[in-house]
Amino acid sequence: MISTRTVLVLNCGSSSLKYSVVEPDSGSHLADGIIERIGAGPIADHEAALRAAFGELADAGLDLDSLGLVAVGHRVVHGGPDLYRPTIVDDALIATLEALSPLAPLHNPPAIIGIEVARKVLPDLPHVVVFDTAYFHDLPPAAAQYAIPREVSAQWNIRRYGFHGTSHRYVSEQAAEFLQAPLESLNQIVLHLGNGASASAIVGGRPQDTSMGMTPMEGLVMGTRSGDIDPGVIMYLNRTAGMSMAEVETMLNRRSGVLGLGGEIDFRLLHRRIESGSESDRAEAQLAYDVYIHRLRKYIGSYLALLGNTDVITFTAGVGENDAAVRRDALSGLAPLGIELDEHLNDSPARSPRRISFETSPTTVLVIPTDEEMAIGRACAGAIDG
Ligand code: ADP
């Protein structure tokens, strides 16, 4: 009997642990789950969360010892300037990750805790880290560099790193597969629209630009993040409004974006407010939606200019996969640029990769479900294969 190998994929936040068991060779998911409210109630810490995840797997009839696990894959948001290959964890790597934490203070520390706990609980398996920044490591300097003094960038490792790279890579490869065209032949725009949101422009499988920057705060309007903002606003809030930098950071990360403008994070609820809220709720929610779409169109337009000729635009993640109105409004009126959505295809929901543009549209528009866990599982399998 040929035994199938599986990878346990972990994504640790400060108060949640997402887990999946995937088969990298077949592409199937054996289990997906999330343990939330770490630090509250019975889930005292990340170790308790991991044990709770094992409990859920056991309840689903998945016994760890007979699962055929060959590795544990860990999603790490920031790899800094030097780490970008899927890397097998050892003590030196942990120390390097700890040194990188100031670059991603909200994201890397809980991931490191997750890795350490998982190494303790599953000491006999290789642990592999996969970085959200990896795919964008070789962005052209014109896209990666901020226009600040070079010596400041160099001293402090300031550059545009980009995030959601695992998803942009996976979705752009899936798009090529769907079109039965070599990846190398395609100019692509990928729009990853979830709670976090980012766009990328890709030429022949190599990203040329992406909307997130040194941190995941730059770019598109997101569920709770502002995206692009004049840095002058930050100084003004600090100097004149008397907000501390920590307060400004929390505001821009957690209380801004669609939530800050329209009172909801979730697009389903935002649409409901627009349709049936009180007059003032309706106006707020509409403004949030309009600002979101306006920013998205600005990025699409800039990437169309960057690419010159765009073969395919792909929507992915929670909003991109499910919200037909966002897709329609992001691309309306662009027939002169070769982008023609088929409203009927756009409005028909489906879980699998699909085209939503007319067959005659010079630029093909696709919806492709992202699968970051599978992409991480495959990267792990590749890393342990050497
Ligand atoms: P994350 O960035 O947390 O991984 P997801 O990619 O899962 O986020 O996206 C979550 C978001 O997707 C939700 O907050 C919601 O706005 C949106 N979403 C999910 N389902 C739908 C739907 N059926 N219609 C519109 N938006 C949806």
Side-chain angles (χ1 to χ4, degrees):
M1 188 183 101
I2 303 166
S3 63
T4 40
R5 52 184 189 164
T6 60
V7 177
L8 172 66
V9 178
L10 299 178
N11 180 356
C12 279
S14 55
S15 65
S16 70
L17 178 149
K18 285 190 198 162
Y19 66 91
S20 298
V21 178
V22 300
E23 284 181 359
D25 303 313
S26 72
S28 60
H29 284 237
L30 301 187
D32 298 286
I34 179 166
I35 308 294
E36 292 179 288
R37 296 168 49 78
I38 297 175
I43 310 291
D45 55 21
H46 285 79
E47 181 170 341
L50 187 56
R51 293 193 189 281
F54 293 164
E56 290 187 357
L57 290 172
D59 291 346
L62 296 172
D63 171 25
L64 273 191
D65 294 327
S66 51
L67 260 183
L69 283 180
V70 294
V72 184
H74 298 268
R75 178 184 181 207
V76 175
V77 166
H78 214 307
D82 302 320
L83 293 175
Y84 57 97
R85 292 196 178 82
T87 307
I88 296 180
V89 178
D90 57 18
D91 292 341
L93 183 80
I94 296 278
T96 309
L97 290 177
E98 277 170 350
L100 284 176
S101 280
L103 277 174
L106 305 175
H107 294 100
N108 274 21
I112 296 171
I113 294 172
I115 296 167
E116 303 221 85
V117 162
R119 283 176 90 200
K120 181 175 148 200
V121 176
L122 298 168
D124 298 329
L125 286 172
H127 291 253
V128 180
V129 286
V130 177
F131 299 101
D132 236 26
T133 48
Y135 183 54
F136 300 114
H137 182 260
D138 294 323
L139 275 187
Q145 187 67 35
Y146 288 107
I148 60 174
R150 265 191 316 225
E151 64 276 14
V152 176
S153 303
Q155 182 180 354
W156 295 98
N157 291 318
I158 295 169
R159 58 161 279 188
R160 304 188 62 258
Y161 288 96
F163 299 86
H164 291 145
T166 305
S167 178
H168 286 274
R169 186 200 305 264
Y170 175 83
V171 166
S172 55
E173 290 171 357
Q174 293 288 116
E177 204 165 294
F178 182 86
L179 296 172
Q180 299 187 314
L183 185 63
E184 297 69 31
S185 71
L186 295 174
N187 283 0
Q188 304 200 36
I189 296 174
V190 174
L191 304 167
H192 176 112
L193 309 177
N195 281 322
S198 61
S200 65
I202 302 166
V203 171
R206 293 180 160 269
Q208 303 298 302
D209 202 356
T210 190
S211 58
M212 284 178 167
M214 171 164 152
T215 75
M217 291 171 75
E218 191 178 339
L220 300 174
V221 176
M222 314 186 204
T224 64
R225 286 176 233 156
S226 65
D228 291 340
I229 188 167
D230 178 350
V233 173
I234 297 164
M235 270 80 86
Y236 177 81
L237 286 173
N238 180 242
R239 198 183 304 123
T240 306
M243 287 174 75
S244 70
M245 279 301 177
E247 285 169 334
V248 176
E249 184 174 32
T250 304
M251 182 195 86
L252 293 176
N253 259 313
R254 299 196 200 279
R255 295 196 288 118
S256 296
V258 175
L259 174 69
L261 283 170
E264 300 286 356
I265 295 182
D266 191 310
F267 270 71
R268 287 164 286 198
L269 303 177
L270 191 73
H271 285 299
R272 205 169 299 158
R273 254 182 186 227
I274 293 172
E275 278 149 25
S276 54
S278 68
E279 203 172 317
S280 66
D281 280 0
R282 213 179 277 189
E284 281 176 17
Q286 184 68 52
L287 178 66
Y289 183 78
D290 292 347
V291 172
Y292 180 92
I293 294 292
H294 181 79
R295 183 82 51 83
L296 183 56
R297 289 177 66 94
K298 274 169 69 166
Y299 270 91
I300 293 167
S302 68
Y303 290 172
L304 290 172
L306 184 70
L307 294 176
N309 167 53
T310 303
D311 299 297
V312 51
I313 299 175
T314 306
F315 288 90
T316 193
V319 178
E321 289 166 31
N322 296 300
D323 198 318
V326 165
R327 295 192 299 257
R328 179 196 64 216
D329 294 335
L331 298 178
S332 65
L334 299 184
L337 299 179
I339 300 166
E340 296 168 77
L341 269 204
D342 179 328
E343 289 275 334
H344 176 70
L345 293 177
N346 185 42
D347 285 340
S348 334
R351 289 253 153 259
S352 45
R354 62 204 172 95
R355 178 172 53 83
I356 57 169
S357 52
F358 288 110
E359 224 157 329
T360 50
S361 171
T363 298
T364 304
V365 184
L366 303 177
V367 177
I368 294 185
T370 192
D371 190 345
E372 290 168 281
E373 295 76 24
M374 184 56 63
I376 291 172
R378 287 187 175 149
C380 287
I384 58 170
D385 289 345

